[in-house]
Amino acid sequence: MSTPPLFLVDTLPQSGEFVLDGPEGRHAATVKRLRAGETLTVSDGSGGVATCVVDAPVGRDALRLRVTERSDVPAPQPRVVVAQALVKGDRGELAVELATEAGADEIVPWRAARCVARWEDGPRGEKALARWRNTVREAAKQARRPWVPEVRDPVGTQDLVDLLDGALGLVLEGSAGQRIADVALPRHGDIVVVVGPEGGVSDEEIAVLRDAGAQAVRLGPTVLRASTAAAVALGAIGALSPRW
C-alpha cells in the first residue's frame, strides 16, 4: 500500500473541515486527481501533520478535507546541516534534491574557492537560490517529510567557521585517512557535512575548517560526484546515529 501524498500548507488545521486550495489544492485535485473518500496528509513543514480524508471537490482546483488525526513529529536528532558547494548546471538542484530526500535538516549554499558556478548578488543569484528552495520543498513533499529543510543564503568559507561553532564538522574528502564510520557521532546537536565542488576542497579551505574543529572524512573507496556525496553521507549518518 502506498503512502498517502503530502501537501504543504501555511497554517495546519487542528480539527474539523477545511479547504485545500491554491497551488497545493490544484495539484491535489487536477494532478493527483484525488476523489472523495481518499486519504492525504497535510503538513506545515515544521513538524505538524494532519491526516485528512477528501470530502468533496470545491470547483476544479480545490478540495474540501476532513481532519481525522493531528500530530506533531519531533525534529530529527542529531540535526544534519549540509554545506553544499555551488555546482554548475542542474547538478546543484540534484544535490539538494537528493540531500532533502536523504534527510538533511538545513542546507547552506557554499561559495567554495573551486566552484565553477558563481552566484553573484542580484537577480541572477536570487533566481538560483529560489530554484534550490523550490527543489527542496518539492523533494520534501515527495519524501513525505513533515520537516522542510531551510535553505539559507549562500556563504563563504569564513562563514562556515561560524556555522561549525558547537557542531561536529565533517568535511567530505576522498583522500582522507579517516572513515566516516570511525567518527563518534553525537546523539544531539548539529552535524555539519561540508561538500566541496567537483574540483574538490582546497588545501587552504581544509586548513581553515580543521582549525575550526572540523574533521576530514571519506565515505568509502570510490569517488562521488559533488551532487551525490551529501545524500550518501546522510545515509551513513542515519544508520550510525539515532536518526534512523
Side-chain angles (χ1 to χ4, degrees), residues 67-82:
V67 178
T68 60
E69 185 178 357
R70 170 73 163 77
S71 63
D72 290 289
V73 179
Q77 284 291 333
R79 291 178 73 249
V80 180
V81 179
V82 174

Side-chain angles (χ1 to χ4, degrees), residues 84 135 198 207:
Q84 173 68 55
T135 298
E198 296 292 354

Side-chain angles (χ1 to χ4, degrees), residues 34-128:
L34 296 176
R35 298 294 181 258
E38 294 190 271
T39 301
L40 57 90
T41 304
V42 295
S43 173
D44 58 7
S46 298
V49 177
T51 301
C52 304
V53 173
V54 178
D55 269 350
V58 179
R60 294 182 56 187
D61 298 333
L63 298 172
R64 179 176 292 107
L65 308 179
R66 174 169 40 88
V67 178
T68 60
E69 185 178 357
R70 170 73 163 77
S71 63
D72 290 289
V73 179
Q77 284 291 333
R79 291 178 73 249
V80 180
V81 179
V82 174
Q84 173 68 55
L86 305 182
V87 186
K88 187 176 180 180
D90 295 340
R91 285 196 169 272
E93 291 160 47
L94 176 62
V96 297
E97 177 182 36
L98 295 177
T100 301
E101 292 178 1
D105 299 297
E106 186 175 316
I107 295 173
V108 182
W110 176 33
R111 288 171 167 148
R114 293 175 177 170
C115 286
V116 175
R118 298 291 176 184
W119 290 7
E120 305 299 338
D121 293 334
R124 292 186 64 182
E126 292 171 1
K127 185 176 181 180

